[in-house]
Amino acid sequence: MDVVEYRPERSEYVYTFGGAAPVREVAPGTVLRLWCEDAFNGALTTVDDLASANLRIGFLNPQTGPFAVRGAEPGDTLVLHLVDLTPARGQGASTLVPFFGGLTGTDRTALLQDALEERTWIYEVDTARRTVTFSARRSDLSIDLPLAPMLGTVGVAPAMGEVRSSLTPDAFGGNMDTPEMRAGATCYLPVNTPGAIFSVGDGHYRQGEGEACGTAVEGAMDVTLIVDLIKADQAPAPLWPRLENDDEIVVVGSSRPLEDAWRISQVEMISWLGGLLGLDRLDAYQLLTQTALAPLANVVDTNYSAVTKVSKTLVPGLRPYDGLHADLRSRAASLT
Amino acid sequence: MDVVEYRPERSEYVYTFGGAAPVREVAPGTVLRLWCEDAFNGALTTVDDLASANLRIGFLNPQTGPFAVRGAEPGDTLVLHLVDLTPARGQGASTLVPFFGGLTGTDRTALLQDALEERTWIYEVDTARRTVTFSARRSDLSIDLPLAPMLGTVGVAPAMGEVRSSLTPDAFGGNMDTPEMRAGATCYLPVNTPGAIFSVGDGHYRQGEGEACGTAVEGAMDVTLIVDLIKADQAPAPLWPRLENDDEIVVVGSSRPLEDAWRISQVEMISWLGGLLGLDRLDAYQLLTQTALAPLANVVDTNYSAVTKVSKTLVPGLRPYDGLHADLRSRAASLT
Amino acid sequence: MDVVEYRPERSEYVYTFGGAAPVREVAPGTVLRLWCEDAFNGALTTVDDLASANLRIGFLNPQTGPFAVRGAEPGDTLVLHLVDLTPARGQGASTLVPFFGGLTGTDRTALLQDALEERTWIYEVDTARRTVTFSARRSDLSIDLPLAPMLGTVGVAPAMGEVRSSLTPDAFGGNMDTPEMRAGATCYLPVNTPGAIFSVGDGHYRQGEGEACGTAVEGAMDVTLIVDLIKADQAPAPLWPRLENDDEIVVVGSSRPLEDAWRISQVEMISWLGGLLGLDRLDAYQLLTQTALAPLANVVDTNYSAVTKVSKTLVPGLRPYDGLHADLRSRAASLT
Amino acid sequence: MDVVEYRPERSEYVYTFGGAAPVREVAPGTVLRLWCEDAFNGALTTVDDLASANLRIGFLNPQTGPFAVRGAEPGDTLVLHLVDLTPARGQGASTLVPFFGGLTGTDRTALLQDALEERTWIYEVDTARRTVTFSARRSDLSIDLPLAPMLGTVGVAPAMGEVRSSLTPDAFGGNMDTPEMRAGATCYLPVNTPGAIFSVGDGHYRQGEGEACGTAVEGAMDVTLIVDLIKADQAPAPLWPRLENDDEIVVVGSSRPLEDAWRISQVEMISWLGGLLGLDRLDAYQLLTQTALAPLANVVDTNYSAVTKVSKTLVPGLRPYDGLHADLRSRAASLT
């Protein structure tokens, strides 16, 4: 397998999906070894670094990339298999950004109340024990939490010539902020433009579902992934991001209000299930109703993201794309 | 322990929270052995029994009860520990009700499209193997799914003299439709009226998160539960329903749009966590952000219900109400 | 015409739709002359009377009634023609209630921010000039605004045995808070229970659309109205509250999120237009699209209310219920 | 005044805000005489031209422009005064696009129901009588409606390097679809990029509030407007689009759910009112509550748009930007 390594200079990060020239063209099958800066551009290193004084609007969620995929055309499906996510620094940070987050008024849920107090938390990483440590700021409580690395942001250039901030999740992927985007997962995204033009970023050392305060345990990440491509004549592109891991198939819908994000993920899963199992739409609706898990991803970004998952154990026969995921797992195993 | 058995006659079911006289008064500590009819009032027994021809508006979600709890006063916390949920029939049913469900227009999301086709599914219960079987209606596919009994509906009389349909979830509990309401769980509800006046019903043999099509595998249920009471001077009543099991503490919020249901469950959990761990509001917000699970309960009822859960393993020190849940588990164990 | 006068004692107000025994039974055709207390129960008389110190939860929006209408049966349409609304006091009040209103977090849009500062405004009524005067509290600005009396709350007992707080708007009417509920308007409501069991209250001396801060210029009101009844065999009951004045036909939808309130009002108007003009559903949808006005009513109550209006001038032929509104206007004219 | 005329060739239309090179640079004070194609790119000319067969995704809402404004810098306010809007063709069209519109499931409110039947309506323009004629498709009813020309779409390049489809309304203006965008109105938009880079399009011969079916009476338009600029040091840029006409000041908010669009427009109006009248935030909130009108603009686009208006008659002293609107009205009058 071809292996491409890329660690961007500070000036090389991009902050949009679409609208930037690719830094590399890679062939399907390529292994990428990438370095991803954290969502704060590394600006929060102590608990005294508050958001409003240290973060620059327009320079959040730096993306590593974009990469062009050789031969990718609109209608194809971009496949990104996450081989490994390893924290690239010894600490992560989370912070309260004024008027940002799920439990405060925002620029959209526009209210008259004062902003919440600003506060920053620093999480120490213990690589050996694979923990990050929560330390309360107004008490002595500290709790070691399991390290659970994921990428908040994986996406392609949007359709219709749009360019979207790297803070946005939508049909093109983007800032979905779901813990499902972890090592061992395969992500399927629709290709909207020649080359697909994808990027990744926004490492989280761990995150709860919903990402309530607006920021996870944000941290720089070493990312290894395999790029692949499904041509349109092999399978139609998904309408919304799909994920697969050894245990489940997963769809992520992103919109507002939150019920629409959920509806999107459910309808896309019904299409997927129906295709895999030979069920008509209503039988798939029924099977979904009794088997799906529906964890939230984020309720804080410019669109909210909701996840629908179905277990391969619970529902036999879920082997999408001719077993491509298993094949990617094998390829990944050969890397180490 | 006092044990009260109650199996209502058809005419004895109630269809509201509030507005009905209690059928029994029970003392805290009483064990109730109850029979609960299914949400369809037993009307769907074959796949040819469609909703519009067989279901009667106003007579859905029959409740067993209500029960008055001796000594319960507004400001107290009603405690219901679910000891055992056993399917009371050999089959369950799920159906598509016209203009009801998460992926169709409804009386609220009022649209001009035609209703979905009606269709009913019957699930056979295999008690020995503990499965219910999905049988597709337009193909030969059938899948054995694990039996996972739960109660869709547990609630008390609402505040401010309101009487609400048993189809509604809200601060009083009610039709929350969360899989967390299973055997082994302890439910904490605010008492709004003298006696609390609670009822239970809506057995589900299993259900996915979200209950997408509007109906789970609905089935009559034998229910054993222990009633208890926490007086206001021991602990303040929760604002919204709380649950506890051996592994997690759980809050259920219900409202529309769905993000508000989620916000409710998150804010109530922040209060709970803060109290248990001695964290101020923002530290609890932060800890929640990195540790909470947020599975949906229902996106189909008159209010949507969202769940926030925190793991006792992940976050040490979560021992609410002086260990009452463990005590109830012991009492439950002594019953068998 | 029979004329019934009723001015409740303090203890006679009710705070729910449904759940209270009627204070009078009246025949269709009866004129009611009523006194309505303000939404604050008269508790705010100076700018120093703040909400949290003076308002009692559960005793807001006192209703005058309920009245039973002789012969009213489920399926009929209750008709209430507002003849006259006259402020019954020399001043009105508006106030900020903590965590209530459209531009603050609430019990439903549950957030972590502090409540807005409390503040009360008193509006002096000038009967001769027909004005109420806004006086800023933190500057010297005062503005005379036109008196525009309306009733925030008009409703019947809900369906399915529910009892709802008088703070709630829904299909039964209730706390819709629309400026369309003014003298000269005829209100059509579905009858859900024998006798219809309706009440009115919540006088506003004026209100903007949306009622942003949560409270209008609230004031006690002398109300004159004519009660009438359309039997089910003459016309089907509306699904949602309809209004008619000399210039327009109007529908009020109430739900959350706000788009659902709007959808409800639009779909009900399509039914109404289609019936009046002999249009099929899609032609009525099209005509509505190009002619409807859509002012908001409230974005603050337990459900939000949205209005759809069509002008009788713009769209000829809108003469619902065989010209009943014109007949009621004639009857009203004969009263003075 | 400099006058610039511009009638694009078919190939010169653009379909985004941002992302296109300006076709002209104009100085503040310039009069633009523009020709705008209709939203369907002129593809629907008979009732037999249905949407799915004739409309091309990605080529809807063609924009005339974009224009660069000399000297415009981020932080400035772009001023566009609409002098004249005259229908450029003898007929307009409206149509039902599958899965688009306010009373159907969509790509976002993703449901399983079948699409509504497709149908197109053609409206004949009578220039002399200033009417457009609705002709029902399934009955003989036809109604002459007043011509009420407006522009659905007026916007600048978005902030943060985004490029948005011309179907989207947001803080940069865009596809707001409000009837307030009519001749005689002055529009104030925030400048996000050097030159502002604005475009206009989407002529409507008339439209109801909400634009329920998704399309107004769409028609090509001759547009005359005056471009002006307020530098940042004279006045801060608005956060959201503002409008002013002889009678009212107006704000348009765009987001989802609809209550957030309304909240945005209300909070921006509170800032505006507060600044103009010297009121603190809560006094402005109160005054707004009792005086604002809140008509909907669209409940169909990728964001919904809600309008907040305050009457200059009702509230004396509303003379924003030193009377610039009156000055522009004078300049406009001199043009004819």
Side-chain angles (χ1 to χ4, degrees):
Chain A
M1 289 182 276
D2 281 350
V3 178
V4 172
E5 300 205 14
Y6 179 62
R7 181 182 173 130
E9 298 296 313
R10 173 56 53 102
S11 64
E12 291 175 311
Y13 289 107
V14 296
Y15 298 90
T16 52
F17 290 96
V23 295
R24 298 282 190 284
E25 188 189 58
V26 297
T30 302
V31 176
L32 286 176
R33 296 193 187 275
L34 308 173
W35 199 88
C36 295
E37 184 48 278
D38 71 35
F40 305 133
N41 250 325
L44 306 184
T45 60
T46 79
V47 296
D48 297 322
D49 296 330
L50 298 184
S52 59
N54 290 278
L55 303 184
R56 289 176 60 204
I57 291 176
F59 295 90
L60 298 173
N61 256 18
Q63 293 295 298
T64 297
F67 301 92
V69 179
R70 196 166 305 148
E73 295 294 332
D76 296 347
T77 301
L78 175 67
V79 183
L80 299 175
H81 179 69
L82 301 182
V83 177
D84 184 68
L85 302 180
T86 296
R89 289 207 184 95
Q91 63 177 36
S94 185
T95 198
L96 298 181
V97 181
F99 300 114
F100 180 68
L103 303 181
T104 171
T106 66
D107 63 332
R108 300 283 154 161
T109 303
L111 305 176
L112 297 175
Q113 289 159 287
D114 292 331
L116 293 174
E117 175 198 328
E118 291 196 62
R119 196 180 291 181
T120 293
W121 293 261
I122 298 296
Y123 287 76
E124 298 299 325
V125 176
D126 184 324
T127 308
R129 300 174 54 226
R130 294 195 61 75
T131 57
V132 287
T133 302
F134 165 78
S135 297
R137 295 291 316 284
R138 296 288 178 273
S139 80
D140 292 334
L141 184 70
S142 84
I143 302 177
D144 294 333
L145 299 170
L147 199 57
M150 50 164 278
L151 288 180
T153 306
V154 174
V156 295
M160 298 209 298
E162 285 205 317
V163 173
R164 302 304 305 277
S165 157
S166 58
L167 298 169
T168 291
D170 209 301
F172 60 85
N175 193 26
M176 298 176 282
D177 283 324
T178 169
E180 303 297 330
M181 196 70 81
R182 60 180 184 267
T186 303
C187 178
Y188 306 96
L189 292 169
V191 175
N192 300 303
T193 51
I197 315 298
F198 78 90
S199 61
V200 302
D202 192 20
H204 294 174
Y205 293 174
R206 74 169 287 118
Q207 180 204 307
E209 294 168 355
E211 204 187 8
C213 87
T215 58
V217 181
E218 311 282 341
M221 197 77 80
D222 286 307
V223 176
T224 304
L225 58 85
I226 303 174
V227 180
D228 214 330
L229 186 68
I230 303 169
K231 295 297 293 178
D233 57 3
Q234 297 174 266
L239 295 178
W240 287 86
R242 296 176 176 184
L243 284 158
E244 182 180 358
N245 58 49
D246 293 353
D247 300 322
E248 293 162 320
I249 62 171
V250 181
V251 176
V252 189
S254 298
S255 197
R256 292 189 178 194
L258 185 55
E259 52 263 40
D260 277 1
W262 172 83
R263 284 168 174 146
I264 286 167
S265 71
Q266 294 268 306
V267 169
E268 179 75 9
M269 182 59 90
I270 285 170
S271 298
W272 202 2
L273 275 185
L276 292 171
L277 300 176
L279 295 176
D280 84 348
R281 203 164 51 164
L282 298 189
D283 276 345
Y285 188 24
Q286 174 59 216
L287 180 60
L288 181 80
T289 298
Q290 314 311 348
T291 60
L293 298 186
L296 297 177
N298 90 74
V299 196
V300 300
D301 293 321
T302 52
N303 285 314
Y304 303 141
S305 299
V307 167
T308 294
K309 307 200 291 187
V310 177
S311 159
K312 296 176 179 179
T313 307
L314 208 58
V315 178
L318 302 181
R319 188 174 170 275
Y321 304 113
D322 278 327
L324 177 59
H325 170 75
D327 178 56
L328 286 159
R329 291 286 276 164
S330 299
R331 286 190 248 167
S334 76
L335 284 174
T336 44
Chain B
M1 288 180 275
D2 282 346
V3 178
V4 172
E5 302 205 10
Y6 178 61
R7 181 182 175 132
E9 298 296 313
R10 174 57 52 103
S11 63
E12 290 176 312
Y13 288 108
V14 298
Y15 298 90
T16 53
F17 290 97
V23 295
R24 298 281 189 284
E25 188 189 59
V26 296
T30 301
V31 177
L32 285 177
R33 296 193 187 275
L34 308 174
W35 200 88
C36 295
E37 185 48 277
D38 72 35
F40 304 133
N41 249 323
L44 306 185
T45 60
T46 79
V47 295
D48 297 322
D49 296 331
L50 299 183
S52 59
N54 290 278
L55 303 184
R56 290 174 62 201
I57 292 176
F59 295 89
L60 298 173
N61 256 18
Q63 293 295 297
T64 296
F67 300 93
V69 179
R70 195 167 304 148
E73 295 294 332
D76 295 347
T77 302
L78 176 66
V79 183
L80 299 176
H81 178 68
L82 301 183
V83 177
D84 184 68
L85 302 180
T86 297
R89 290 207 183 96
Q91 64 178 35
S94 185
T95 198
L96 298 181
V97 181
F99 299 114
F100 180 68
L103 303 181
T104 171
T106 67
D107 63 330
R108 299 282 153 164
T109 304
L111 307 175
L112 296 176
Q113 290 160 285
D114 292 332
L116 293 173
E117 176 199 328
E118 290 195 61
R119 196 180 290 181
T120 293
W121 293 261
I122 299 296
Y123 287 76
E124 298 299 323
V125 175
D126 184 324
T127 307
R129 300 173 55 224
R130 295 196 60 76
T131 58
V132 288
T133 303
F134 165 77
S135 297
R137 295 292 315 284
R138 297 287 180 272
S139 80
D140 291 334
L141 185 72
S142 85
I143 302 176
D144 294 334
L145 299 169
L147 199 57
M150 52 164 278
L151 288 180
T153 306
V154 174
V156 295
M160 298 210 297
E162 285 205 317
V163 174
R164 302 303 305 275
S165 158
S166 57
L167 298 169
T168 291
D170 210 301
F172 60 86
N175 193 28
M176 297 176 282
D177 284 325
T178 169
E180 303 297 332
M181 195 69 79
R182 59 181 185 268
T186 303
C187 178
Y188 306 96
L189 293 168
V191 176
N192 301 303
T193 52
I197 315 299
F198 79 88
S199 60
V200 302
D202 192 22
H204 294 175
Y205 293 173
R206 76 170 284 119
Q207 181 206 304
E209 294 167 354
E211 205 188 9
C213 87
T215 58
V217 181
E218 311 283 339
M221 198 78 82
D222 286 308
V223 175
T224 303
L225 59 83
I226 303 174
V227 179
D228 215 330
L229 186 68
I230 302 169
K231 294 299 293 180
D233 57 4
Q234 298 174 265
L239 296 178
W240 286 86
R242 296 176 175 184
L243 284 158
E244 182 180 0
N245 57 49
D246 293 354
D247 301 320
E248 292 163 319
I249 63 171
V250 181
V251 177
V252 189
S254 298
S255 196
R256 291 190 179 196
L258 185 55
E259 53 262 40
D260 276 1
W262 172 82
R263 285 167 173 147
I264 287 167
S265 71
Q266 294 269 306
V267 169
E268 179 75 9
M269 182 60 90
I270 286 170
S271 298
W272 201 1
L273 275 184
L276 291 171
L277 300 176
L279 295 176
D280 85 348
R281 207 165 47 163
L282 298 188
D283 276 344
Y285 187 25
Q286 173 59 214
L287 179 59
L288 181 80
T289 298
Q290 314 310 350
T291 60
L293 299 186
L296 297 177
N298 91 76
V299 196
V300 299
D301 292 321
T302 51
N303 285 315
Y304 304 142
S305 299
V307 167
T308 295
K309 305 199 293 186
V310 177
S311 158
K312 295 176 180 178
T313 307
L314 207 59
V315 178
L318 303 181
R319 187 175 171 276
Y321 304 114
D322 277 325
L324 178 57
H325 170 74
D327 178 55
L328 286 160
R329 290 286 276 164
S330 299
R331 287 191 247 167
S334 75
L335 285 175
T336 45
Chain C
M1 289 183 276
D2 282 349
V3 177
V4 171
E5 302 205 10
Y6 178 63
R7 179 180 175 134
E9 298 297 314
R10 175 55 53 105
S11 65
E12 291 176 312
Y13 288 107
V14 297
Y15 298 89
T16 53
F17 290 97
V23 295
R24 300 280 190 283
E25 187 189 60
V26 296
T30 300
V31 176
L32 285 177
R33 293 190 188 279
L34 307 174
W35 200 88
C36 295
E37 185 48 277
D38 71 35
F40 304 132
N41 249 324
L44 305 185
T45 61
T46 79
V47 295
D48 297 323
D49 296 330
L50 298 184
S52 59
N54 290 277
L55 303 184
R56 290 175 61 204
I57 291 175
F59 295 89
L60 297 172
N61 256 18
Q63 293 294 297
T64 296
F67 301 93
V69 179
R70 196 167 303 149
E73 295 294 332
D76 296 346
T77 301
L78 175 67
V79 183
L80 299 176
H81 178 69
L82 300 183
V83 177
D84 184 69
L85 303 180
T86 296
R89 289 207 184 95
Q91 63 178 37
S94 187
T95 198
L96 297 182
V97 181
F99 299 114
F100 180 68
L103 303 181
T104 172
T106 67
D107 63 331
R108 299 281 155 164
T109 304
L111 306 175
L112 295 176
Q113 290 159 286
D114 293 331
L116 294 173
E117 174 197 328
E118 290 195 63
R119 196 181 290 182
T120 293
W121 294 262
I122 298 297
Y123 287 76
E124 298 298 323
V125 176
D126 184 324
T127 308
R129 300 173 55 228
R130 295 195 60 74
T131 57
V132 287
T133 302
F134 165 77
S135 297
R137 295 292 315 287
R138 296 290 180 270
S139 81
D140 292 334
L141 185 71
S142 83
I143 302 176
D144 295 334
L145 299 168
L147 198 59
M150 52 164 278
L151 288 180
T153 306
V154 173
V156 296
M160 300 208 297
E162 285 205 319
V163 173
R164 302 302 307 275
S165 157
S166 58
L167 297 169
T168 290
D170 209 300
F172 60 85
N175 193 27
M176 298 176 282
D177 284 324
T178 170
E180 303 296 331
M181 196 68 79
R182 59 181 185 267
T186 303
C187 178
Y188 306 97
L189 291 169
V191 175
N192 299 305
T193 53
I197 314 299
F198 78 89
S199 61
V200 303
D202 192 22
H204 294 173
Y205 294 173
R206 78 168 287 117
Q207 181 205 306
E209 294 168 355
E211 204 187 9
C213 86
T215 58
V217 182
E218 311 282 340
M221 198 77 81
D222 287 308
V223 175
T224 304
L225 59 82
I226 302 175
V227 180
D228 214 332
L229 187 67
I230 302 170
K231 294 298 292 179
D233 57 3
Q234 297 175 267
L239 295 179
W240 286 87
R242 296 176 175 184
L243 284 158
E244 182 180 359
N245 58 48
D246 292 355
D247 301 321
E248 292 162 319
I249 63 172
V250 180
V251 176
V252 188
S254 298
S255 197
R256 291 188 180 198
L258 185 55
E259 52 263 40
D260 276 1
W262 172 83
R263 285 168 173 145
I264 286 167
S265 71
Q266 295 269 304
V267 168
E268 179 75 9
M269 181 60 90
I270 286 170
S271 297
W272 202 1
L273 276 183
L276 291 171
L277 299 176
L279 295 176
D280 84 348
R281 208 165 47 163
L282 297 189
D283 276 344
Y285 188 24
Q286 174 60 213
L287 180 59
L288 181 80
T289 298
Q290 313 311 349
T291 61
L293 298 185
L296 297 177
N298 90 75
V299 197
V300 298
D301 294 321
T302 51
N303 285 313
Y304 303 142
S305 299
V307 167
T308 294
K309 306 199 292 185
V310 177
S311 158
K312 295 176 178 177
T313 306
L314 207 60
V315 178
L318 301 181
R319 187 174 171 275
Y321 303 114
D322 278 326
L324 178 58
H325 171 74
D327 179 56
L328 285 160
R329 291 286 276 163
S330 299
R331 286 190 248 168
S334 76
L335 283 176
T336 45
Chain D
M1 287 182 277
D2 281 348
V3 177
V4 172
E5 301 206 12
Y6 179 62
R7 180 181 174 134
E9 298 297 312
R10 174 57 52 104
S11 64
E12 292 175 311
Y13 289 108
V14 297
Y15 298 89
T16 52
F17 290 97
V23 295
R24 300 279 190 285
E25 188 189 60
V26 297
T30 302
V31 176
L32 285 176
R33 295 191 188 277
L34 307 173
W35 199 89
C36 295
E37 184 48 277
D38 72 36
F40 304 133
N41 250 325
L44 305 185
T45 61
T46 79
V47 295
D48 296 324
D49 296 332
L50 298 184
S52 59
N54 290 276
L55 303 184
R56 290 175 62 202
I57 291 176
F59 295 90
L60 297 172
N61 257 18
Q63 294 294 298
T64 296
F67 301 93
V69 179
R70 195 167 305 147
E73 295 294 333
D76 295 346
T77 301
L78 175 67
V79 184
L80 298 176
H81 178 68
L82 300 183
V83 177
D84 184 68
L85 302 180
T86 297
R89 289 208 184 97
Q91 64 177 36
S94 185
T95 198
L96 298 181
V97 180
F99 299 115
F100 179 68
L103 303 181
T104 172
T106 67
D107 62 332
R108 299 280 154 165
T109 304
L111 306 176
L112 297 175
Q113 290 160 285
D114 293 331
L116 293 173
E117 176 198 328
E118 290 196 62
R119 197 181 288 182
T120 293
W121 292 262
I122 298 296
Y123 287 76
E124 298 299 323
V125 176
D126 185 325
T127 307
R129 299 173 54 224
R130 295 195 59 78
T131 58
V132 288
T133 302
F134 165 76
S135 296
R137 295 292 315 285
R138 295 291 179 269
S139 80
D140 292 335
L141 185 71
S142 85
I143 302 176
D144 295 334
L145 299 169
L147 198 58
M150 53 165 276
L151 288 180
T153 306
V154 173
V156 295
M160 297 209 297
E162 285 205 317
V163 173
R164 302 303 307 275
S165 158
S166 58
L167 297 169
T168 290
D170 210 301
F172 60 85
N175 193 26
M176 298 177 281
D177 284 324
T178 169
E180 303 297 331
M181 196 69 80
R182 59 181 185 267
T186 304
C187 179
Y188 306 96
L189 292 169
V191 176
N192 300 304
T193 52
I197 314 299
F198 78 89
S199 60
V200 302
D202 192 20
H204 293 175
Y205 294 175
R206 76 168 286 117
Q207 180 205 306
E209 294 167 357
E211 203 187 10
C213 87
T215 59
V217 182
E218 311 283 338
M221 197 78 80
D222 286 308
V223 175
T224 304
L225 59 82
I226 302 174
V227 179
D228 215 331
L229 186 69
I230 303 169
K231 294 298 292 178
D233 57 4
Q234 298 175 267
L239 295 178
W240 286 86
R242 297 176 176 185
L243 284 159
E244 183 181 358
N245 57 48
D246 293 354
D247 301 322
E248 292 161 319
I249 63 171
V250 181
V251 176
V252 188
S254 298
S255 197
R256 291 189 179 196
L258 184 55
E259 53 263 38
D260 276 1
W262 172 82
R263 285 168 173 145
I264 287 167
S265 71
Q266 294 269 305
V267 168
E268 178 75 10
M269 181 60 90
I270 285 170
S271 297
W272 202 2
L273 275 184
L276 292 171
L277 300 176
L279 294 177
D280 84 348
R281 204 164 52 161
L282 297 189
D283 276 343
Y285 188 24
Q286 173 61 215
L287 180 60
L288 181 81
T289 298
Q290 315 309 349
T291 60
L293 298 186
L296 298 177
N298 90 75
V299 196
V300 299
D301 293 321
T302 50
N303 284 315
Y304 304 142
S305 299
V307 167
T308 294
K309 307 199 292 186
V310 177
S311 158
K312 296 176 178 177
T313 307
L314 208 60
V315 178
L318 302 181
R319 188 174 171 276
Y321 303 113
D322 278 326
L324 177 58
H325 171 74
D327 178 56
L328 286 160
R329 290 286 275 164
S330 298
R331 286 190 250 166
S334 76
L335 285 175
T336 45

